[in-house]
Amino acid sequence: MSSKTKIVVLHVKELIYTGIFAVLGILFIILLIIMFLPESEDKDTVSTMTQTTINSYIPGVYTTSLILNDNIVEIEVTVDENNINSIRLVNLDEAVTTMYPLIQPSFEELAEQIITNQSLDNITYSDDSKYTSMVLLNAITSSLDKAVKTETEAETDANTDTESENKQ
């Protein structure tokens, strides 16, 4: 029997280094997969702004000023007795749109939802423009609060309607 004995010398340091590099390589591949997978949903955040009044407004145009980097941007809300007719940005300077590129698309998205729903309930916005949308929504809410009839005004209108019906 002629068997040749082979002796393998393993250095523990080399085994440890190889194991560490293998684990780091696997973690790196997992990180790349997680980073470059497409996101499933664009709209993740739902605003919890609610309007507690029945749509009863004093007809007119109401504005709220927003100060952004020493520039004043006004949000103008036009309402009639029962509807929100339009919401628009006034005095929107090119410098503001350059410094805040999400302000116009976020505003248009919010305005469309509010006019369609005729309410501030269930307004959604994307995570990308969360804070911009919150600031704009607060300004719109402030403008609408100016237009909302108070309970005493609503009661006065109801009494006036009842008196006019009684006279006829």
Side-chain angles (χ1 to χ4, degrees), residues 1-17:
M1 264 198 348
S2 77
S3 74
K4 293 184 177 182
T5 308
K6 293 183 180 181
I7 298 174
V8 178
V9 178
L10 298 174
H11 296 280
V12 177
K13 274 187 190 179
E14 292 175 4
L15 288 176
I16 292 174
Y17 291 149

Side-chain angles (χ1 to χ4, degrees), residues 79-142:
V79 296
D80 62 17
E81 182 110 1
N82 297 317
N83 297 316
I84 302 169
N85 295 332
S86 71
I87 303 171
R88 45 184 220 126
L89 282 171
V90 181
N91 299 332
L92 186 60
D93 194 306
E94 189 175 313
V96 174
T97 56
T98 303
M99 291 297 293
Y100 302 98
L102 294 176
I103 197 164
Q104 188 138 16
S106 298
F107 180 79
E108 290 171 358
E109 182 181 325
L110 289 174
E112 181 181 328
Q113 289 182 48
I114 292 169
I115 291 172
T116 302
N117 297 339
Q118 290 295 308
S119 141
L120 297 175
D121 296 333
N122 302 320
I123 301 297
T124 59
Y125 44 80
S126 67
D127 278 341
D128 296 338
S129 62
K130 178 180 179 181
Y131 298 110
T132 304
S133 296
M134 286 173 41
V135 167
L136 291 170
L137 198 55
N138 286 336
I140 293 169
T141 302
S142 176

